[in-house]
Amino acid sequence: GNSVTQMEGPVTLSEEAFLTINCTYTATGYPSLFWYVQYPGEGLQLLLKATKADDKGSNKGFEATYRKETTSFHLEKGSVQVSDSAVYFCALKGNYGQNFVFGPGTRLSVLP
Amino acid sequence: DAGVIQSPRHEVTEMGQEVTLRCKPISGHNSLFWYRQTMMRGLELLIYFNNNVPIDDSGMPEDRFSAKMPNASFSTLKIQPSEPRDSAVYFCASSEVTYEQYFGPGTRLTVT
């Protein structure tokens, strides 16, 4: 079945550091890929998405490119802020039915 | 748009009591999902509905859990009887058939 693997956390960075959170997937067909963010005490919010190979999703300075050849969708940000501290979830939605799969989440802490 | 609405936001109950969690999806969305989130197990899909019909309830932990969706604008998740290991944050999410999920703020359940 479909699955998502994320790098283990927690990730701790200093403010203005470069961020990469790795995400790889296994899926049949051509899934859509998503990054969700969960701030403390809140529900998950969609951060960005990509629906086909080579698409780049971007939002709030975050970017991720759908790489079919490496089955990856790594999240990047050039300069993180303290306010980016949250848990980040990679997810995919398969072509068939509501096959939405979330990764385990990666906790990011950004220190001033 | 009011987003997905969940109630109550917090629930504290004693072991053995019945607990009912409520969800109002975004108007026009025809899919609804119930998730449970704990530190130990992460985010788990419990059940999802399409056009008010339960499609996959394989994530429901046991017979003490039940979910209903009597109409397109309301769903409940019931636990009877509740146990301390049911303590978690329960999220409801909704989506249109082929699009991303939108999450509610969650209900934090504590069973003592």
Side-chain angles (χ1 to χ4, degrees):
Chain A
N2 295 348
S3 66
V4 173
T5 303
Q6 285 182 241
M7 62 188 291
E8 296 260 343
V11 174
T12 302
L13 296 173
S14 297
E15 205 164 23
E16 299 184 3
F18 184 86
L19 168 70
T20 300
I21 300 178
N22 290 338
C23 170
T24 57
Y25 68 90
T26 301
T28 54
Y30 301 92
S32 295
L33 301 174
F34 307 85
W35 277 101
Y36 280 79
V37 59
Q38 184 180 28
Y39 298 105
E42 299 183 12
L44 280 70
Q45 303 173 24
L46 179 66
L47 180 59
L48 54 83
K49 67 178 180 181
T51 58
K52 60 182 186 296
D54 299 326
D55 267 3
K56 177 186 284 187
S58 61
N59 186 24
K60 300 181 180 179
F62 291 89
E63 293 183 339
T65 301
Y66 187 162
R67 301 285 189 202
K68 188 162 177 62
E69 64 276 13
T70 54
T71 61
S72 65
F73 193 54
H74 305 321
L75 183 68
E76 296 182 335
K77 186 175 186 182
S79 176
V80 294
Q81 305 300 311
V82 172
S83 58
D84 294 326
S85 298
V87 180
Y88 292 82
F89 293 87
C90 185
L92 72 79
K93 184 182 181 308
N95 296 88
Y96 310 108
Q98 293 295 321
N99 198 7
F100 217 103
V101 177
F102 283 90
T106 302
R107 182 175 299 276
L108 169 67
S109 295
V110 181
L111 306 178
Chain B
D1 191 340
V4 176
I5 299 172
Q6 292 187 247
S7 65
R9 292 294 310 277
H10 302 273
E11 176 80 35
V12 180
T13 191
E14 293 184 347
M15 183 174 63
Q17 296 299 305
E18 177 179 297
V19 175
T20 299
L21 312 182
R22 297 172 175 81
C23 175
K24 176 178 170 56
I26 293 172
S27 177
H29 285 187
N30 54 7
S31 295
L32 183 141
F33 307 79
W34 282 102
Y35 290 89
R36 178 173 68 176
Q37 186 179 41
T38 61
M39 289 294 292
M40 289 293 293
R41 302 165 89 128
L43 192 67
E44 303 174 276
L45 177 64
L46 301 178
I47 184 171
Y48 78 87
F49 296 83
N50 212 25
N51 294 322
N52 311 339
V53 176
I55 302 300
D56 183 358
D57 66 354
S58 60
M60 296 286 261
E62 48 199 274
D63 291 345
R64 298 184 296 107
F65 286 69
S66 63
K68 294 182 179 179
M69 192 165 185
N71 57 61
S73 58
F74 184 65
S75 178
T76 60
L77 178 68
K78 185 177 294 187
I79 308 173
Q80 166 63 20
S82 58
E83 297 183 2
R85 61 193 167 117
D86 301 330
S87 297
V89 181
Y90 291 81
F91 289 103
C92 176
S94 70
S95 75
E96 298 177 73
V97 172
T98 58
Y99 293 95
E100 60 271 15
Q101 296 183 13
Y102 291 84
F103 281 73
T107 296
R108 182 173 295 278
L109 173 64
T110 302
V111 183
T112 61

